[in-house]
Amino acid sequence: LPKKTHLSWYDKFMSETIWLWRDKILSVFKSSMSDQSFGFFSSIFFGSKTELDESVLQEFRDSGLIHLLAISGLHIGFIGAIFFKFFSLFLSKTKSYILSVLFLYLYVLLLPSQPSALRAAFMYSITAFFFVMGNRTLSVTILSFSAIVLLFINPYYIYNLGFQFSYLATLGIILFNKDLGRLLPKFIPGRIKDSLSVTFCAFVSIFLLQWAIFGRVPLFSLITSVVFVPLFELLFSSLFITTIV
């Protein structure tokens, strides 16, 4: 339906202002990188996969790691943590949270309007707000509130696959991650146990939707995510810090 694909007022405004500035930034990086390097760079930092070869994209799809090439909660979480840890070196936790939220939204403004990235940014900022105010709340409450805000901004997000996958996966992690972690053998190192638990909860939560839409589910992603996501975290954080510096 044509009306479901029209640009929101937010997208129209951003495409005529800040996103033009983003394109200029990308053109600077493109002139100093090889095509393959720039394709990977623009994908993981700006959510643009147009510069990547189709063969590379297919390899990521087959391995179940295609989510690493799209701006998602994973990326936003990394960046929020980087900003928070940097500011916490010389500021209190309260001030560090406030500044990390501000800088995180400056980054989000440069991105295409992606529900998964907005969801993560909203959840991070709401968590920071409750910390600053000295209150605590349930993660499900934060997740639900972020969904309401997003749908208020653009009701057509409800038809967006990124929105559906992002919220289902996050809900599964919130509801089942801790319980599953307790069931795993104690001899497994904590970091690996957390990765196994999060990966399995997210996988199970989106399994039926993924099967219904694509007709297949990359079971191999259970293994590749556990191995490559921690490595990707190190690579992503290093590249992000290097780019800023």
Side-chain angles (χ1 to χ4, degrees):
L1 297 176
K3 290 185 178 179
K4 292 181 182 178
T5 58
H6 77 288
L7 291 176
S8 66
W9 61 267
Y10 173 83
D11 290 334
K12 289 179 180 178
F13 172 77
M14 297 298 290
S15 63
E16 296 172 357
T17 53
I18 294 179
W19 291 344
L20 286 177
W21 183 51
R22 177 200 63 199
D23 292 340
K24 292 180 180 179
I25 295 176
L26 284 174
S27 64
V28 172
F29 282 107
K30 186 174 183 179
S31 63
S32 60
M33 294 181 174
S34 65
D35 292 341
Q36 189 171 4
S37 297
F38 176 74
F40 183 73
F41 174 85
S42 62
S43 176
I44 65 172
F45 286 116
F46 293 95
S48 174
K49 294 189 284 290
T50 57
E51 301 290 335
L52 280 174
D53 292 337
E54 183 58 34
S55 60
V56 175
L57 286 172
Q58 191 58 49
E59 288 176 358
F60 273 85
R61 292 191 191 101
D62 294 339
S63 63
L65 296 173
I66 189 64
H67 61 282
L68 297 182
L69 298 181
I71 301 296
S72 63
L74 185 71
H75 302 70
I76 298 300
F78 289 161
I79 293 173
I82 290 172
F83 284 138
F84 176 77
K85 289 179 180 179
F86 171 73
F87 290 120
S88 63
L89 292 175
F90 47 88
L91 294 174
S92 65
K93 284 188 176 181
T94 297
K95 293 179 180 178
S96 298
Y97 262 124
I98 294 173
L99 287 175
S100 65
V101 168
L102 292 176
F103 276 83
L104 182 62
Y105 274 101
L106 288 176
Y107 170 73
V108 171
L109 286 175
L110 296 176
L111 305 175
S113 184
Q114 300 185 35
S116 57
L118 292 174
R119 186 269 308 162
F122 282 142
M123 289 191 68
Y124 183 88
S125 58
I126 295 170
T127 302
F129 172 78
F130 276 99
F131 178 85
V132 171
M133 298 300 294
N135 297 321
R136 299 185 66 181
T137 188
L138 295 175
S139 298
V140 173
T141 302
I142 297 175
L143 181 68
S144 302
F145 182 74
S146 68
I148 292 171
V149 173
L150 277 182
L151 292 175
F152 178 79
I153 294 174
N154 186 357
Y156 295 108
Y157 276 148
I158 196 67
Y159 299 104
N160 186 284
L161 288 180
F163 179 92
Q164 297 169 16
F165 279 116
S166 177
Y167 275 90
L168 275 177
T170 306
L171 180 62
I173 293 171
I174 291 174
L175 293 179
F176 307 117
N177 182 42
K178 289 185 178 179
D179 291 333
L180 180 59
R182 297 190 189 99
L183 296 176
L184 293 175
K186 294 183 179 180
F187 65 83
I188 300 177
R191 189 66 181 270
I192 297 177
K193 184 184 294 186
D194 290 340
S195 183
L196 283 170
S197 180
V198 169
T199 299
F200 185 78
C201 290
F203 178 84
V204 171
S205 300
I206 64 174
F207 179 87
L208 292 179
L209 180 62
Q210 198 167 20
W211 180 270
I213 293 174
F214 301 112
R216 68 189 186 109
V217 178
L219 297 176
F220 190 61
S221 64
L222 282 171
I223 299 175
T224 55
S225 292
V226 172
V227 175
F228 288 104
V229 168
L231 295 177
F232 178 80
E233 177 181 358
L234 179 62
L235 173 63
F236 181 89
S237 301
S238 301
L239 287 175
F240 186 78
I241 295 172
T242 304
T243 300
I244 293 179
V245 175

